[in-house]
């Protein structure tokens, strides 16, 4: 068992301890700041969301990733109600924070900064920093996965026929055989190359980058 799964006494972390290893306070506080800021910019009023409420919304998203349903409203309907999600959706935090979730101040980013096609979510990469702590075994796989998205605004949205979720963003992920995610990168297509091309080609360059974060001479 790797140290990333154990506490100082060699015991497994509780779910809350494990959650806080990956979802750190710095990111939660950032979400609170920018979510409140965005809703003021959008509507002129503030919902005054808190750190606790934002943590609950992240818990909601994680639950929906485990118990998948066709739409968010299905979790609250009488015949399909799922308490761990429905109890949050029914409150202010579920209805508003999901709509105003932001990682940056839109009005503080100028055209030069927007050449990065992921500028709206780039700060969220801090979520990935603790991932190498949970390395579990010698067998790793680097492959593409689709992040479902059907919104109108995006220069990197694409359709990959044959995928379970063909429309969305393509991400390159490094995972172990037990399903743990250890590193990832969102593919920006040609829009994100900024004129720089690797002599290795796209796939080999992604493999080089993601495998570089694996611990050396372990497992």
């Amino acid at each position: 068992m790797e140290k990333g799964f154990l506490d100082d006494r060699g015991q497994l972390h509780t779910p809350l301890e494990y959650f806080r290893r990956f979802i750190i306070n710095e990111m939660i506080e950032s979400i609170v700041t920018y979510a409140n800021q965005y809703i003021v910019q959008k509507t002129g009023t503030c919902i005054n969301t808190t750190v606790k409420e934002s943590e609950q919304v992240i818990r909601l998203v994680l639950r929906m990733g485990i118990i998948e349903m066709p739409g968010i409203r299905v979790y609250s309907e009488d015949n399909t109600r799922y308490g761990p999600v429905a109890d949050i959706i029914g409150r202010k935090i579920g209805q508003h924070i999901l709509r105003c979730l932001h990682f940056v101040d839109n009005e503080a980013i100028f055209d030069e900064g927007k050449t990065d096609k992921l500028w709206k979510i780039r700060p969220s990469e801090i979520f990935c920093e603790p991932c190498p702590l949970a390395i579990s075994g010698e067998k790793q796989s680097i492959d593409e996965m689709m992040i479902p998205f059907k919104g109108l605004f995006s220069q990197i949205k694409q359709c990959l026929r044959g995928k379970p979720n063909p429309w969305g963003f393509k991400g390159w992920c490094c995972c172990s055989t037990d399903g743990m995610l250890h590193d990832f990168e969102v593919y920006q297509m040609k829009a994100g190359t900024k004129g720089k091309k690797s002599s290795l080609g796209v796939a080999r360059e992604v493999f080089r980058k993601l495998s570089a974060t694996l611990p050396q001479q372990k497992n």
Side-chain angles (χ1 to χ4, degrees):
M1 183 70 69
E2 288 293 322
K3 291 182 179 180
F5 291 100
L6 306 177
D7 61 20
D8 294 336
R9 299 167 296 174
Q11 302 296 317
L12 283 173
H13 288 292
T14 66
L16 180 59
E17 289 172 337
Y18 197 73
F19 174 86
R20 295 196 185 284
R21 287 182 70 88
F22 292 89
I23 311 299
I24 61 177
N25 285 337
E26 181 182 350
M27 179 54 70
I28 299 295
E29 291 169 359
S30 175
I31 290 174
V32 170
T33 297
Y34 292 123
N36 285 328
Q37 189 177 66
Y38 173 74
I39 201 66
V40 170
Q41 294 169 351
K42 191 81 171 176
T43 67
T45 60
C46 185
I47 61 174
N48 292 318
T49 186
T50 66
V51 168
K52 181 179 179 180
E53 290 173 340
S54 295
E55 285 185 339
Q56 286 180 307
V57 168
I58 293 175
R59 185 185 73 186
L60 175 150
V61 173
L62 293 174
R63 286 279 191 174
M64 290 193 295
I66 298 172
I67 308 297
E68 295 187 52
M69 294 189 182
I72 192 169
R73 293 183 180 179
V74 181
Y75 292 92
S76 300
E77 293 177 355
D78 292 339
N79 294 334
T80 55
R81 191 178 191 280
Y82 179 58
V85 172
D87 291 343
I88 297 177
I89 292 176
R91 304 176 197 166
K92 173 193 71 173
I93 55 173
Q95 296 172 342
H96 292 282
I97 296 181
L98 282 174
R99 292 182 186 140
C100 63
L101 188 66
H102 267 66
F103 299 95
V104 296
D105 178 2
N106 290 354
E107 297 183 354
I109 305 295
F110 300 102
D111 291 342
E112 184 177 349
K114 293 179 181 179
T115 56
D116 177 5
K117 304 306 176 184
L118 298 176
W119 65 272
K120 278 199 171 187
I121 61 170
R122 184 64 69 188
S124 67
E125 289 182 345
I126 195 172
F127 278 120
C128 197
E129 291 179 6
C131 288
L133 296 174
I135 297 298
S136 57
E138 63 179 343
K139 295 181 180 179
Q140 303 284 324
S141 174
I142 295 176
D143 204 348
E144 63 185 23
M145 65 168 278
M146 291 299 290
I147 303 167
F149 179 74
K150 293 184 179 180
L152 298 177
F153 175 76
S154 175
Q155 298 183 45
I156 60 172
K157 183 181 70 175
Q158 55 184 307
C159 178
L160 296 183
R161 300 186 185 281
K163 296 288 186 181
N165 297 294
W167 283 101
F169 305 131
K170 183 170 79 171
W172 296 94
C173 300
C174 178
C175 300
S176 61
T177 52
D178 60 5
M180 292 296 297
L181 174 69
H182 304 300
D183 204 352
F184 70 92
E185 180 176 290
V186 178
Y187 181 47
Q188 296 191 58
M189 304 169 62
K190 293 182 179 179
T193 60
K194 299 181 181 179
K196 299 178 182 179
K197 293 184 179 180
S198 170
S199 60
L200 297 175
V202 173
R204 290 185 177 88
E205 179 62 25
V206 168
F207 184 89
R208 181 199 64 77
K209 183 176 179 179
L210 295 185
S211 61
T213 59
L214 295 172
Q216 300 298 309
Q217 298 181 351
K218 276 192 174 184
N219 300 327

